[in-house]
Amino acid sequence: MRNFYLYNNRVEIVKNDGSVFTIYFNGNSGKVYFRYKIGTFSNVKHSGIFLGVDTWGTGYFLHNHYHFGKAHITTETEFKKGQPIHIYNEMCSNAPLKVIEIGLNEILRGESYKPITYNCQTYTNTACHNKRKSYDAEKWLGGIALASLAFIFIGAVAGKGR
């Protein structure tokens, strides 16, 4: 994506080859959805922002994924990967059009995907709440830190008994 032009009912995406692709908004545009990550043993949520549909009715999402390496626009089918999707229950701090604008600007910015500091949740929370935050990454880091402290404590207690 080279650029975009945002209107109340659509966005015109200027592709890298200079052609223009139009995506039309509907009642779900700007809402954050998630599916559970595939191949994990926990309930890690992979989030994305519903953008809208093209003239043929194909749905599009904005999301950040390690396979692509940075935030991008993808089809609903590609976002879902055969999994059911769910809407996040929390309301965004930003209005739907602002969520889309921030999400598209993040794509233009081109920051590389980083599992802890710029993942799918960080991307959607930036657009939705103006905060770089990943609840699942924080949860995992907190669990690792707690487990580490427990091992240190157990090691110290076991060492005193000798």
Side-chain angles (χ1 to χ4, degrees):
M1 179 175 85
R2 185 187 311 172
N3 201 358
F4 68 91
Y5 298 100
L6 193 60
Y7 303 95
N8 286 328
N9 65 339
R10 70 189 186 284
V11 61
E12 293 175 354
I13 306 293
V14 181
K15 296 172 154 184
N16 290 333
D17 66 5
S19 63
V20 177
F21 182 63
T22 304
I23 298 174
Y24 299 92
F25 301 146
N26 63 28
N28 294 320
S29 296
K31 292 182 181 177
V32 178
Y33 286 79
F34 73 92
R35 65 167 167 76
Y36 290 105
K37 286 200 178 211
I38 300 167
T40 62
F41 56 89
S42 65
N43 287 329
V44 175
K45 294 176 180 176
H46 176 65
S47 58
I49 300 162
F50 185 75
L51 183 57
V53 297
D54 63 19
T55 55
W56 299 277
T58 302
Y60 290 88
F61 274 82
L62 307 173
H63 80 130
N64 193 10
H65 197 275
Y66 70 92
H67 280 135
F68 194 77
K70 59 185 178 178
H72 64 287
I73 299 171
T74 192
T75 64
E76 183 173 354
T77 301
E78 180 61 28
F79 175 75
K80 290 167 72 170
K81 295 233 180 255
Q83 303 297 309
I85 60 171
H86 313 277
I87 192 161
Y88 265 101
N89 289 329
E90 67 181 65
M91 293 290 296
C92 286
S93 303
N94 293 320
L97 199 58
K98 188 67 174 174
V99 170
I100 291 168
E101 179 183 14
I102 293 170
L104 290 168
N105 278 320
E106 285 292 303
I107 290 173
L108 287 177
R109 205 167 61 77
E111 182 175 349
S112 295
Y113 180 94
K114 297 175 194 81
I116 304 298
T117 60
Y118 195 63
N119 58 35
C120 58
Q121 292 178 10
T122 310
Y123 171 74
T124 55
N125 278 317
T126 297
C128 190
H129 299 294
N130 307 307
K131 293 180 184 174
R132 288 177 65 109
K133 188 173 188 74
S134 173
Y135 300 106
D136 284 332
E138 288 176 2
K139 181 173 61 177
W140 276 97
L141 288 175
I144 291 169
L146 187 61
S148 298
L149 288 173
F151 282 123
I152 291 168
F153 177 74
I154 290 169
V157 170
K160 287 185 179 185
R162 291 184 188 166

